[in-house]
Amino acid sequence: MGKFSKLTAFLKKFFKWLFGLLIINLAGLILITLYSAYYSFGTMIFGVHTAAALKDFWNTEFITAIPFVIGVNLLAITTALFRMYKNKKPKNS
């Protein structure tokens, strides 16, 4: 196999991994947004003002979304690097 075909195979695999990671991030952020909206704007039924609900929504969004994105991406990158190291390690039989 030539150097060019190895590079294209690697890039194809990398972009597939990156696309999967983006889908996971997007799905997680959508669920976090729905959670934040439900618990922040649901209280408006009981008389909470829109400004307070909006402030609570953004606080909840930042408090939950930032650790989620950092944690998921860090876990994915660490796992990918560990697998890359494990696959390149010579096997002693």
Side-chain angles (χ1 to χ4, degrees):
M1 202 150 66
K3 207 172 203 181
F4 183 70
S5 59
K6 284 183 182 180
L7 180 65
T8 56
F10 172 76
L11 286 176
K12 185 177 180 181
K13 189 175 179 182
F14 174 74
F15 284 123
K16 184 178 177 183
W17 173 80
L18 190 63
F19 181 70
L21 185 59
L22 288 174
I23 294 296
I24 290 170
N25 280 324
L26 185 64
L29 290 175
I30 288 171
L31 291 174
I32 287 170
T33 300
L34 291 174
Y35 169 82
S36 297
Y38 177 75
Y39 283 105
S40 297
F41 297 119
T43 58
M44 289 174 64
I45 296 170
F46 302 110
V48 175
H49 294 286
T50 306
L54 195 59
K55 182 180 176 187
D56 187 39
F57 170 76
W58 285 114
N59 287 338
T60 307
E61 188 75 18
F62 286 128
I63 288 173
T64 55
I66 291 173
F68 170 78
V69 170
I70 291 172
V72 166
N73 291 333
L74 190 63
L75 180 65
I77 292 169
T78 306
T79 303
L81 290 175
F82 181 75
R83 286 181 181 168
M84 196 182 319
Y85 172 75
K86 185 178 169 186
N87 290 339
K88 289 192 179 203
K89 212 160 110 176
K91 295 180 182 177
N92 295 330
S93 301

